[in-house]
Amino acid sequence: MLTPLPAAKHRRPGRRLSALLGALVAATLAATTGTAGAQPAPVRAGTLGAQAAQSGRYFGTAVAGGKLGDGTYTTILDREFTTVTPENEMKWDTTERSRDSFNFAPADQIVAHATGHGQRVRGHTLVWHSQLPSWVSAITDATTLRGVMRHHITTEESHFKGKIYAWDVVNEAFADGSSGARRASVFQKVLGDGYIEDAFRTARSADPAAKLCYNDYNIENWSDAKTQAVYRMVRDFKSRGVPIDCVGFQSHFGSSGPPASFGATLSNFAALGVDVQITELDIARAPATAYADTVKACMGVARCTGISVWGIRDSDSWRSGDSPLLFDAAGNKKPAYSAVLSALGGTAATRTSAAAALPSSFSWSSSGPLIAPKPDATHQIAGIKDPSIVRFNGKWHVFASVASSSGYSLVYLSFSDWSQAGAATHHYLDRSAIGTGYRAAPQVFYYAPQKLWYLVYQTGNASYSTNPDISNPDGWSAPRNFYASMPDIIKQHIGNGYWVDIWVICDSVHCFLFSSDDNGHLYRSQTTVGQFPNGFTNTVIAAQDSDKYALFEASNVYKVQGGNQYLLLVEAIGSDGRRYFRSWTSGSLTGSWSPLAASESNPFTRASNVAFPSGAWTKDISHGEMIRAGYDQTLTIPACHLQYLYQGLDPSASGDYNNLPWRLGLLTQTGSTC
């Protein structure tokens, strides 16, 4: 849990606050030029998992619990992969070696590591003929074996319920060769063909939320009898309502890589209404072309939802003599790594994680006021506030609140260069489907899985609008709410505060919604990348402080480029009554937050660590946003040469809070050492 933070008061219709509560948080965004047209080109990521996430997919690996103490191993694991599959720790001979005596400790270790690093887990495997205790193999009575199988599935799934993205319910149930027959396992011999259906129905009852998969090898070539037999089973299951959600293709290839028909095989299975996943990929001698061809086959099928390699380094592989993986024994990237990243749509990162570490103290230089209100016949605006900014298609796109005695609404402006910011046309978004009424504190990002821009803002609820073209101010949809109503935990703690400052950020697996209450609490809800914008639940207090002014409002959360680090900023009100920002870092969006520059004497941004070459036009550094390294839902920022677009205020201004003359300025980090 985060240490106490300063509180910051927020705007509501008719709300009055002292002028001492002003100042704008400068946001830094690394200039990334988009392609021409309304739809952005994909953001190029520097890791396998981050790049796969751009298309809504995962990139995972098999993990051995005994290697989690290996620093090289875990560094690669946590940097590159967004989904993990326990290599052996969930198999029957580990989890239930003796009847009714379950041991989940080895698997718990892997699940805990994955959860702590924002990674999903594929459960592997519930029913398999191999690595099966001898007491199970010795059962000859159908009633006994059926009960044992159901009990094992139910107990294991129940233990991990809510923590497993997908289960390999049945593994390798079909025989090799040209017969297309079922494998002669104890389950097949004693229970017959119906055991697979029974296993899937039992698994659905035990954990209705987990995806249920059939997993096998040598089913990648469409014309093979084994492939056709599995296809017929899946088709039959779907026609009769047997709960199967996905088919896993192990893809243990020779050096020639996937068969020519692999893409067609994936497409044909997907057409049955199931997801397809490459679950255990390794290729003898790791030819770059073979790896690229495999990834491209998945990328060409919309329902191919992810790829997992079976191990991290060649020395970790079950077929280590073939050197079949993406990293050599020392943990170095092999040519196949770059081929995979390219096939996913990315480019290799050049920044090292050490270079990506943020400093422990900051200094800044501020511009003068760059953007001021532009009233018109129907908008008598006193202040412009709460900016959100991205760089796309050669322009800066800025969204902000505009305030007056009549309340709050939203405005949009764009310009190519900061020298043009003051002259940019202001488009008032109450003329779009966003409509009139209280609209404030916008946040904009491109949600790559849906190819849509999102504008998030507060309306008294947490609301959003979408637009396929960020440059079209009339293209925004009508407001929709993330929640049916204020979550109960916020009602219980908000006191006399206000529910404000909605902030969304996604990793490769989940999207998180942060919000504040002007009463010393920072809240976090979450949903999955696939469910977004729906399904936000599990609202918790992510940070709190007994001094509400130390953890007030205007939280920003960002992914730091080039490493496994997130940055949290929260606006505080100092002992002098002026606004400033404190900062914390964490290795995951659900982890604990460690202070970075988090005090009045060592702030992230405060008038005391900001130089004003053009004159000290504000003593408040208030609500704003960092300049990002891209424009997508990961909210990635550079680690060096930061910039922050913020709201500032004439120190002599006073009166009604809604009528204070807020202006927007830009902070630029000075003294950056990287």
Side-chain angles (χ1 to χ4, degrees):
M1 176 99 30
L2 180 60
T3 53
L5 308 180
K9 298 188 174 167
H10 222 78
R11 47 236 161 276
R12 286 298 175 117
R15 183 171 182 182
R16 293 175 179 272
L17 289 176
S18 162
L20 294 177
L21 298 182
L24 165 64
V25 178
T28 60
L29 178 85
T32 300
T33 303
T35 57
Q39 181 172 304
V43 179
R44 301 298 188 185
T47 66
L48 301 171
Q51 188 55 47
Q54 298 294 342
S55 61
R57 293 172 171 86
Y58 68 79
F59 202 96
T61 187
V63 171
K67 295 179 181 177
L68 291 178
D70 181 331
T72 302
Y73 185 90
T74 54
T75 294
I76 300 170
L77 168 64
D78 299 339
R79 183 188 70 220
E80 297 288 343
F81 301 104
T82 56
T83 298
V84 303
T85 305
E87 212 169 327
N88 295 297
E89 289 79 358
M90 288 183 174
K91 292 171 182 173
W92 203 316
D93 65 350
T94 297
T95 57
E96 193 186 4
R97 184 176 294 274
S98 300
R99 186 168 180 176
D100 287 335
S101 179
F102 287 88
N103 175 24
F104 296 119
D108 285 339
Q109 179 190 18
I110 294 176
V111 172
H113 184 94
T115 302
H117 292 82
Q119 296 160 321
R120 285 190 292 193
V121 180
R122 293 189 82 261
H124 178 79
T125 175
L126 296 172
V127 179
W128 186 32
H129 71 276
S130 186
Q131 292 183 237
L132 192 66
S134 58
W135 68 268
V136 181
S137 300
I139 297 173
T140 58
D141 177 71
T143 300
T144 301
L145 183 58
R146 186 176 297 108
V148 163
M149 183 184 75
R150 291 175 177 175
H151 179 60
H152 179 83
I153 293 170
T154 300
T155 303
E156 184 161 0
E157 277 199 277
S158 297
H159 178 81
F160 293 107
K161 190 172 183 178
K163 300 178 181 179
I164 304 298
Y165 156 67
W167 278 103
D168 288 334
V169 179
V170 177
N171 194 54
E172 301 176 5
F174 284 79
D176 294 323
S178 59
S179 69
R182 303 287 180 92
R183 183 185 297 276
S185 67
V186 63
F187 303 103
Q188 183 68 32
K189 291 176 181 177
V190 177
L191 300 176
D193 287 352
Y195 87 88
I196 301 178
E197 177 177 340
D198 193 358
F200 274 87
R201 292 193 184 277
T202 303
R204 177 65 88 223
S205 296
D207 187 355
K211 286 186 176 291
L212 306 181
C213 307
Y214 175 78
N215 189 59
D216 215 329
Y217 67 94
N218 284 354
I219 59 169
E220 293 83 11
N221 186 23
W222 177 242
S223 62
D224 285 353
K226 186 175 180 180
T227 305
Q228 290 298 309
V230 174
Y231 179 83
R232 287 192 297 271
M233 180 190 73
V234 175
R235 183 177 61 190
D236 172 59
F237 280 10
K238 294 300 291 184
S239 70
R240 295 190 295 108
V242 178
I244 183 169
D245 304 307
C246 45
V247 176
F249 297 78
Q250 292 184 15
S251 304
H252 298 294
F253 294 136
S255 59
S256 59
S261 64
F262 187 35
T265 301
L266 296 176
S267 295
N268 290 337
F269 274 89
L272 295 176
V274 293
D275 292 342
V276 292
Q277 301 168 352
I278 298 173
T279 55
E280 304 182 18
L281 177 63
D282 48 30
I283 305 178
R285 292 181 288 285
T289 299
Y291 260 105
D293 288 346
T294 305
V295 173
K296 289 174 183 176
C298 177
M299 297 295 287
V301 178
R303 293 200 69 156
C304 185
T305 56
I307 300 169
S308 292
V309 288
W310 202 248
I312 296 176
R313 302 164 300 192
D314 286 334
S315 54
D316 305 316
S317 174
W318 68 296
R319 50 192 297 206
S320 57
D322 288 336
S323 300
L325 296 174
L326 301 177
F327 297 87
D328 66 21
N332 299 307
K333 298 172 183 176
K334 296 162 62 175
Y337 174 95
S338 297
V340 168
L341 194 63
S342 179
L344 290 168
T347 55
T350 57
R351 188 189 306 276
T352 66
S353 58
L358 293 166
S360 58
S361 62
F362 295 84
S363 59
W364 307 85
S365 178
S366 177
S367 69
L370 295 175
I371 301 173
K374 290 189 175 181
D376 63 16
T378 57
H379 298 86
Q380 298 305 307
I381 306 301
I384 185 166
K385 312 172 57 182
D386 318 321
S388 182
I389 179 170
V390 293
R391 180 79 174 179
F392 169 65
N393 204 20
K395 290 185 176 182
W396 298 106
H397 300 265
V398 176
F399 296 80
S401 306
V402 284
S404 67
S405 57
S406 61
Y408 283 77
S409 58
L410 303 177
V411 69
Y412 161 73
L413 58 150
S414 64
F415 46 89
S416 299
D417 185 83
W418 285 107
S419 63
Q420 303 168 351
T425 300
H426 288 207
H427 301 274
Y428 293 101
L429 298 183
D430 56 7
R431 294 167 176 162
S432 72
I434 288 175
T436 59
Y438 178 64
R439 317 281 193 257
Q443 179 205 13
V444 69
F445 58 86
Y446 180 69
Y447 194 65
Q450 297 173 2
K451 298 181 172 59
L452 279 176
W453 292 94
Y454 273 74
L455 190 65
V456 176
Y457 47 93
Q458 62 193 49
T459 59
N461 200 326
S463 301
Y464 67 92
S465 296
T466 60
N467 192 341
D469 182 359
I470 192 174
S471 65
N472 176 16
D474 297 322
W476 293 101
S477 66
R480 297 178 182 175
N481 294 334
F482 288 110
Y483 305 97
S485 61
M486 181 187 294
D488 288 342
I489 192 171
I490 302 179
K491 294 177 183 177
Q492 295 162 8
H493 292 88
I494 195 169
N496 294 322
Y498 297 87
W499 185 28
V500 296
D501 297 334
I502 314 306
W503 184 270
V504 172
I505 180 173
C506 305
D507 59 24
S508 60
V509 179
H510 293 101
C511 291
F512 299 88
L513 190 154
F514 290 84
S515 60
S516 301
D517 66 2
D518 285 356
N519 194 36
H521 302 95
L522 178 69
Y523 302 98
R524 184 189 71 237
S525 304
Q526 70 183 64
T527 188
T528 64
V529 167
Q531 286 181 294
F532 181 84
N534 303 309
F536 275 106
T537 186
N538 192 29
T539 304
V540 298
I541 297 175
Q544 60 184 327
D545 197 302
S546 57
D547 176 4
K548 68 178 183 179
Y549 297 109
L551 186 64
F552 202 59
E553 64 184 15
S555 66
N556 300 186
V557 188
Y558 305 96
K559 177 72 168 68
V560 181
Q561 189 176 49
N564 185 37
Q565 188 179 49
Y566 289 90
L567 172 69
L568 166 66
L569 308 179
V570 180
E571 185 171 348
I573 300 177
S575 57
D576 58 357
R578 300 294 182 179
R579 301 293 186 103
Y580 74 104
F581 276 86
R582 300 172 67 195
S583 60
W584 294 259
T585 59
S586 178
S588 76
L589 289 166
T590 57
S592 60
W593 295 96
S594 301
L596 181 63
S599 65
E600 284 196 65
S601 60
N602 182 31
F604 183 75
T605 62
R606 191 168 183 249
S608 58
N609 68 344
V610 176
F612 294 90
S614 300
W617 63 279
T618 181
K619 293 184 179 179
D620 294 277
I621 308 296
S622 184
H623 193 141
E625 193 176 284
M626 298 288 287
I627 304 297
R628 303 176 222 157
Y631 40 73
D632 74 347
Q633 71 279 356
T634 64
L635 306 189
T636 301
I637 61 169
C640 305
H641 310 295
L642 303 177
Q643 291 184 294
Y644 197 78
L645 184 65
Y646 73 104
Q647 67 184 35
L649 181 71
D650 183 339
S652 65
S654 62
D656 181 86
Y657 185 72
N658 291 355
N659 283 324
L660 292 176
W662 294 99
R663 303 291 186 266
L664 303 187
L666 182 67
L667 295 181
T668 298
Q669 183 186 10
T670 56
S672 177
T673 58
C674 57

